[in-house]
Amino acid sequence: MGNKSKGLYEFGNFRLDVETDTLWQDDQLISISPKAFDLLKLLVINGGNIVSKEEIFETVWADTFVEDGVLTQNIYTLRNTLGKDEKGNHLIENIKRRGYRISIPVKRLGKTESAPKTSAVSLDQVGPKEEKKRGKGIFPQRRVLLGILLIVALLSVSGLVFYNLSRNRGEARKEPKTTFDNLSFQRLTDKGDVDFLNISPDGDWLAYSNSDGLFLKDLKADSEIKLEVENFRDIGFLQFSRDGNSLFFRSPGASYLPGNIYQTSRLGGAAKMVAENVWSGFSFSPDGRRLAFTRVKPAENRQVLVVRDLEKGNETELAPQTPPFEFYPRNFPAWSFDGRKIASVVITRTEHFARLLVADLETGRDEEVKTLDFQNVEQVVWTSGGKELIASASDGKNFQLWRIAYPDGEASRITNDLNDYLGLSISSDGKKILARQRKYFSNIWVGDGKDIGSFRQLTQGFARNEGLKGLNWIDEGKIVYTANYEKIRDWNLWVIETADNSRRQLTNDSETQNEYPVVSPDMARIYYSSNRVDSANIRSIGVTGEDQTQITFDEKESELFPQISPDGRWLYYIQEKRDSSAVWRRSLADGKAEKITAENELAPINFLSLSPDGKSLAFQNLTKETGTEKSKGFFKVCVISTDDPREKRFFDLPSSEPFAQFSPDSKALEFIRITTGGSEILRQELDSSDQNNLVLSLKNEWIFKHAWTPDGRQMAISRGNLIRDAVLLTGFE
């Protein structure tokens, strides 16, 4: 504890420092969006007195027109952050027709009392450029913290052993250095829903897209305009041309579908296509003549890095990848400043790390940069000297910014806080880096499947991500779901009682993904996929956490997405091999397994769903048409008969993710689509031309997963939101 503060308020186990714009829970720094923080500050300073909606809008959203739903969403965010008191009441109380107030005592601390000391930098302390005081003027101007001087002692540990594909897990590793140098941070947006962003080569312009469209911001003048692109509403994967006069983009689509790249003026207008069948982000060579992106070749079951000559139209393929390895679909291949090398991120379902590959355009060879055991890498950019990469990467928890020396791979931290930093881009002089700061959460809710207003919340809090990797009903009073409370890769199984919200943890594995839980018909066991060893296998566990059992044992292939037949006889799953994939079924009586789809006819991937009547299986089918005009940007879903797998039907689903499941009556496929105003669950009838019938709609939030009780009356959903804004980092000289 340290640092005397004049403006320090205490309520419960929370402390709010209005001098530094920070919120603490005990000794932990809490991250929330700027507007949510301003709202909380207004309520806290009023010390339990009621603050009317009019005063809130005049103070927090002065000179800005926003709807009541914006206030409601921020109250919801704060309630999730603060939790409840001992009696189960929210710490922010809604006084009907009067306003809001803090429901527990607020204490103003004296000058000699202290706020917690931090060893991490939180960008929630950093606001936009100088703002005029608004409303009643109670807020100090948010200050850009120039020259962050927190120096964390270098951890001196000997014996750095790089992680490669054949490393021993027992080898020692060197702890990363933490460096802040002379970096400055500046928040550029305050909307909370930035999807894609890019900085111009001269570092003077920001282009970003969100639910409202495409925007161009002049960073020097601190002004922005909305751009209109003819015939395009959804725009993503943004890139400036090397001269800064054009913007290139592709439809954001879903993570595992391709799109085409288009070019428009920096001020919008008409767009022309420049490349087809692109499966990732893309980037330009320093001279602007070549384009790099990744492409999936379903017929060959491989992926390649493509370099396209924009003048001649010819393409060169580099760094081929075969399953279980694949290029990260939201990654932008990064050109070195001399145009000789391209860095890309490769991921795998079955391992606990991401690979960083550098392809040499002169030799055609690629090499792995053997750096720290990063469990995830989202994006990398080269520094101007060519001897370092800046990466958005996770060594277990949040995505932070890292320096990675090239080619030896030594890594050091740049940021170390509670946010994620993604979507990096860098100015041509290497002095400015743009990133998307992200905070996301999901919680479990239950209610009448036909009335979103009937749903009630079972779990509370941020950074737990409940249900993102699966949820299912055990019986009408218990739900099994996934959550990662500590680290990004620590996905474990939990059970919650809907009557009293009590819960218990079933698995407790470190650096392991336990996913896709399904329940046996007798409600005694839960089957799930786990990569506890290097490959992914199917396991089972009793509903009370006893008797963990491994069901499949292949050490080279991945076995995923378990499904149990209604009579409890069969376990269905997808087996992914290096050169193919297929649906298998295994007898739970004698363990005998058989392949039920032909590898030369179908390519099952990404999910498997068994109809409640046990007669049909559904999965995404990766076909030769994927990426062509015939695919139309939809997921191709195949439905086969369990009695005769040769009987098959195909459906094109406009889902936001490659996932669908059967309806309780087995007569339709249900899937989730994210919309500009929230999200919705849609239904595709199997024996009808009716498409996309609405099941449930949720405003201002995302539905990530859903599950029905067997009678089709009650639904559980994993729902939450993403808070994403642009931040600028300078001082990389």
Side-chain angles (χ1 to χ4, degrees), residues 210-239:
N210 65 5
S211 58
D212 292 326
L214 176 62
F215 294 84
L216 181 69
K217 183 166 186 173
D218 185 335
L219 300 183
K220 289 185 175 180
D222 192 23
S223 62
E224 70 177 36
I225 59 173
K226 184 177 180 180
L227 305 183
E228 299 294 337
V229 181
E230 293 180 11
N231 302 319
F232 286 93
R233 174 63 182 84
D234 296 324
I235 290 176
F237 294 93
L238 295 169
Q239 288 283 291

Side-chain angles (χ1 to χ4, degrees), residues 241-302:
S241 60
R242 286 300 181 181
D243 61 11
N245 293 326
S246 298
L247 277 171
F248 291 77
F249 64 91
R250 53 163 281 204
S251 175
S255 297
Y256 290 90
L257 284 178
N260 300 329
I261 298 175
Y262 297 87
Q263 177 184 10
T264 187
S265 163
R266 188 176 70 183
L267 299 178
K272 66 175 183 179
M273 188 174 67
V274 297
E276 298 178 280
N277 195 14
V278 176
W279 287 73
S280 67
F282 56 92
S283 59
F284 293 95
S285 59
D287 60 12
R289 297 178 180 177
R290 292 170 293 172
L291 187 66
F293 54 87
T294 64
R295 176 176 291 158
V296 175
K297 296 196 166 187
E300 303 171 25
N301 200 37
R302 69 188 183 106

